[in-house]
Amino acid sequence: MQYLYNGVTKYGEPGLLVTFEEFPQRIYRDALSFGWDFPALEEEGKLKVLFTSPEVLQQDIIRDQGLIGEMIAEIGARRVVVDSISHLQETEQDHRQFREAVYGLVNALKREQLTALLTRELREMEEMGAGVEEFVADGVIVLSRAYIGNTNMRFLEVMKSRGSALVPIPSLYSF
Protein backbone atom coordinates (compact mmCIF):
# COMPACT_ATOMS: atom_id res chain seq x y z
CA MET A 1 0.00 0.00 0.00
CA GLN A 2 2.86 2.36 0.79
CA TYR A 3 4.40 1.71 -2.62
CA LEU A 4 1.17 2.82 -4.31
CA TYR A 5 0.48 5.72 -1.95
CA ASN A 6 3.98 7.16 -2.35
CA GLY A 7 3.79 6.64 -6.10
CA VAL A 8 0.68 8.82 -6.27
CA THR A 9 1.56 11.46 -3.67
CA LYS A 10 5.32 11.83 -4.15
CA TYR A 11 5.91 10.92 -7.78
CA GLY A 12 2.62 11.55 -9.56
CA GLU A 13 2.39 7.90 -10.63
CA PRO A 14 -1.16 6.53 -10.45
CA GLY A 15 -1.48 2.96 -9.29
CA LEU A 16 -3.60 -0.18 -9.33
CA LEU A 17 -3.93 -2.69 -6.51
CA VAL A 18 -5.14 -6.13 -7.59
CA THR A 19 -6.06 -8.37 -4.69
CA PHE A 20 -7.46 -11.88 -4.60
CA GLU A 21 -8.46 -12.13 -0.95
CA GLU A 22 -8.80 -8.71 0.68
CA PHE A 23 -12.03 -6.80 0.19
CA PRO A 24 -11.50 -3.13 -0.78
CA GLN A 25 -13.14 -1.88 2.44
CA ARG A 26 -10.53 -3.71 4.51
CA ILE A 27 -7.73 -2.30 2.36
CA TYR A 28 -9.16 1.21 2.81
CA ARG A 29 -9.33 0.69 6.57
CA ASP A 30 -5.77 -0.63 6.78
CA ALA A 31 -4.44 2.19 4.59
CA LEU A 32 -6.24 4.78 6.70
CA SER A 33 -4.51 3.42 9.82
CA PHE A 34 -1.30 4.77 8.22
CA GLY A 35 -2.96 8.06 7.24
CA TRP A 36 -3.44 7.09 3.58
CA ASP A 37 -6.87 7.97 2.23
CA PHE A 38 -7.29 5.48 -0.62
CA PRO A 39 -10.95 6.34 -1.34
CA ALA A 40 -9.97 9.99 -1.86
CA LEU A 41 -7.21 8.94 -4.27
CA GLU A 42 -9.72 6.79 -6.14
CA GLU A 43 -12.12 9.73 -6.39
CA GLU A 44 -9.28 11.83 -7.82
CA GLY A 45 -8.66 9.14 -10.46
CA LYS A 46 -5.17 8.33 -9.18
CA LEU A 47 -5.75 4.89 -7.72
CA LYS A 48 -7.87 1.80 -8.36
CA VAL A 49 -8.40 -1.13 -6.01
CA LEU A 50 -9.62 -4.27 -7.74
CA PHE A 51 -10.84 -7.32 -5.86
CA THR A 52 -10.98 -10.18 -8.36
CA SER A 53 -10.12 -13.83 -8.88
CA PRO A 54 -6.95 -15.31 -10.36
CA GLU A 55 -9.07 -16.77 -13.17
CA VAL A 56 -10.42 -13.35 -14.18
CA LEU A 57 -6.92 -11.88 -14.07
CA GLN A 58 -5.65 -14.69 -16.30
CA GLN A 59 -8.45 -14.15 -18.82
CA ASP A 60 -7.69 -10.42 -18.96
CA ILE A 61 -4.03 -11.21 -19.63
CA ILE A 62 -4.81 -13.78 -22.32
CA ARG A 63 -7.25 -11.45 -24.13
CA ASP A 64 -4.88 -8.46 -23.81
CA GLN A 65 -7.96 -6.38 -23.10
CA GLY A 66 -10.53 -6.30 -20.38
CA LEU A 67 -11.28 -4.75 -17.03
CA ILE A 68 -7.70 -4.46 -15.83
CA GLY A 69 -6.51 -2.90 -19.07
CA GLU A 70 -9.39 -0.43 -18.92
CA MET A 71 -8.52 0.53 -15.36
CA ILE A 72 -4.87 1.03 -16.27
CA ALA A 73 -5.83 3.27 -19.19
CA GLU A 74 -8.51 5.14 -17.23
CA ILE A 75 -6.12 6.39 -14.54
CA GLY A 76 -2.88 6.26 -16.53
CA ALA A 77 -1.44 3.75 -14.06
CA ARG A 78 2.34 3.56 -13.77
CA ARG A 79 2.48 1.18 -10.78
CA VAL A 80 0.66 -2.03 -9.93
CA VAL A 81 0.59 -4.36 -6.95
CA VAL A 82 -0.70 -7.92 -7.31
CA ASP A 83 -1.40 -9.61 -3.97
CA SER A 84 -0.63 -12.47 -4.15
CA ILE A 85 0.56 -14.49 -7.12
CA SER A 86 0.47 -17.53 -4.85
CA HIS A 87 -3.21 -17.70 -5.80
CA LEU A 88 -2.24 -18.20 -9.46
CA GLN A 89 -0.37 -21.31 -8.44
CA GLU A 90 -3.51 -22.69 -6.83
CA THR A 91 -5.50 -22.32 -10.07
CA GLU A 92 -2.96 -24.10 -12.29
CA GLN A 93 -2.75 -27.90 -12.40
CA ASP A 94 0.99 -28.26 -12.88
CA HIS A 95 4.29 -26.41 -12.60
CA ARG A 96 4.46 -25.70 -16.34
CA GLN A 97 1.05 -24.02 -16.36
CA PHE A 98 1.97 -21.92 -13.33
CA ARG A 99 5.22 -20.88 -15.03
CA GLU A 100 3.27 -19.82 -18.15
CA ALA A 101 0.77 -17.90 -16.00
CA VAL A 102 3.55 -15.99 -14.24
CA TYR A 103 5.39 -15.26 -17.51
CA GLY A 104 2.12 -14.08 -19.04
CA LEU A 105 1.38 -11.80 -16.10
CA VAL A 106 4.87 -10.29 -15.97
CA ASN A 107 4.99 -9.76 -19.74
CA ALA A 108 1.52 -8.16 -19.73
CA LEU A 109 2.59 -5.74 -17.00
CA LYS A 110 5.80 -4.92 -18.88
CA ARG A 111 3.80 -4.41 -22.08
CA GLU A 112 1.73 -1.81 -20.20
CA GLN A 113 5.01 -0.25 -18.98
CA LEU A 114 4.00 -0.71 -15.36
CA THR A 115 6.38 -1.01 -12.47
CA ALA A 116 5.00 -4.02 -10.65
CA LEU A 117 5.22 -5.30 -7.12
CA LEU A 118 4.08 -8.91 -6.96
CA THR A 119 3.74 -10.57 -3.59
CA ARG A 120 4.06 -14.28 -2.95
CA GLU A 121 3.64 -16.36 0.18
CA LEU A 122 6.10 -19.10 0.96
CA ARG A 123 4.47 -22.40 1.74
CA GLU A 124 5.56 -24.34 4.76
CA MET A 125 9.02 -25.85 4.23
CA GLU A 126 9.44 -23.96 0.94
CA GLU A 127 12.73 -22.16 0.39
CA MET A 128 13.54 -19.00 -1.54
CA GLY A 129 15.18 -19.54 -4.89
CA ALA A 130 12.87 -22.27 -6.14
CA GLY A 131 10.00 -20.18 -7.49
CA VAL A 132 9.56 -19.46 -11.20
CA GLU A 133 8.70 -15.84 -10.40
CA GLU A 134 12.18 -15.36 -8.94
CA PHE A 135 13.69 -16.06 -12.35
CA VAL A 136 11.24 -13.80 -14.20
CA ALA A 137 11.40 -10.87 -11.79
CA ASP A 138 13.92 -8.04 -12.05
CA GLY A 139 14.13 -7.89 -8.28
CA VAL A 140 13.32 -10.12 -5.33
CA ILE A 141 12.84 -8.78 -1.82
CA VAL A 142 12.34 -11.21 1.05
CA LEU A 143 10.57 -10.19 4.23
CA SER A 144 11.26 -12.47 7.17
CA ARG A 145 11.36 -12.55 10.91
CA ALA A 146 13.28 -14.37 13.58
CA TYR A 147 13.58 -14.38 17.32
CA ILE A 148 16.88 -12.96 18.48
CA GLY A 149 17.10 -13.40 22.19
CA ASN A 150 13.56 -12.73 23.32
CA THR A 151 12.81 -10.16 20.62
CA ASN A 152 10.90 -10.86 17.42
CA MET A 153 12.94 -9.08 14.73
CA ARG A 154 11.77 -8.34 11.18
CA PHE A 155 14.19 -8.38 8.27
CA LEU A 156 14.18 -7.20 4.67
CA GLU A 157 16.69 -8.77 2.30
CA VAL A 158 17.27 -7.90 -1.35
CA MET A 159 17.92 -11.29 -2.94
CA LYS A 160 18.01 -10.06 -6.52
CA SER A 161 18.27 -6.69 -8.19
CA ARG A 162 18.83 -7.11 -11.91
CA GLY A 163 21.24 -4.54 -13.33
CA SER A 164 22.63 -3.52 -9.95
CA ALA A 165 26.13 -4.15 -8.72
CA LEU A 166 26.50 -6.40 -5.70
CA VAL A 167 27.88 -4.43 -2.79
CA PRO A 168 28.93 -6.66 0.10
CA ILE A 169 28.42 -5.18 3.55
CA PRO A 170 29.76 -6.50 6.84
CA SER A 171 27.34 -8.44 8.98
CA LEU A 172 25.40 -6.31 11.45
CA TYR A 173 25.04 -9.22 13.83
CA SER A 174 27.47 -11.90 14.82
CA PHE A 175 25.96 -15.15 15.94
Side-chain angles (χ1 to χ4, degrees):
M1 289 187 296
Q2 183 178 14
Y3 169 73
L4 292 172
Y5 181 80
N6 285 346
V8 170
T9 61
K10 292 184 178 184
Y11 304 104
E13 297 180 349
L16 172 66
L17 174 59
V18 179
T19 179
F20 301 126
E21 60 185 347
E22 295 292 334
F23 288 102
Q25 294 305 323
R26 186 172 180 152
I27 290 169
Y28 301 149
R29 182 202 66 202
D30 292 348
L32 196 55
S33 73
F34 293 103
W36 307 328
D37 190 348
F38 274 25
L41 295 177
E42 282 191 299
E43 286 178 26
E44 295 172 21
K46 298 177 181 176
L47 178 74
K48 289 280 187 185
V49 176
L50 175 63
F51 177 66
T52 190
S53 69
E55 294 84 4
V56 169
L57 177 68
Q58 284 299 102
Q59 287 303 312
D60 265 17
I61 291 166
I62 291 167
R63 290 183 310 177
D64 189 21
Q65 52 184 270
L67 182 60
I68 294 170
E70 289 173 14
M71 289 179 146
I72 290 167
E74 181 182 331
I75 65 171
R78 304 302 328 133
R79 296 179 180 216
V80 63
V81 172
V82 178
D83 183 29
S84 141
I85 63 169
S86 301
H87 294 283
L88 292 175
Q89 191 167 15
E90 294 167 8
T91 64
E92 303 302 336
Q93 288 85 17
D94 63 31
H95 182 71
R96 184 183 59 73
Q97 288 176 318
F98 174 62
R99 184 180 188 97
E100 289 173 4
V102 171
Y103 273 117
L105 174 61
V106 169
N107 288 333
L109 297 174
K110 285 181 179 181
R111 181 180 60 242
E112 296 292 336
Q113 299 180 337
L114 295 169
T115 304
L117 181 64
L118 311 176
T119 66
R120 178 173 86 92
E121 298 131 24
L122 285 179
R123 295 180 179 178
E124 194 171 325
M125 306 303 288
E126 186 178 11
E127 293 185 31
M128 285 302 303
V132 62
E133 62 282 352
E134 296 168 41
F135 297 101
V136 176
D138 292 331
V140 176
I141 300 169
V142 177
L143 305 176
S144 61
R145 63 181 177 186
Y147 279 96
I148 298 179
N150 61 354
T151 304
N152 188 12
M153 303 284 291
R154 291 187 278 180
F155 298 92
L156 181 144
E157 181 179 6
V158 178
M159 299 286 289
K160 177 181 178 183
S161 182
R162 190 172 282 148
S164 297
L166 177 64
V167 180
I169 59 171
S171 176
L172 300 175
Y173 301 99
S174 56
F175 297 100

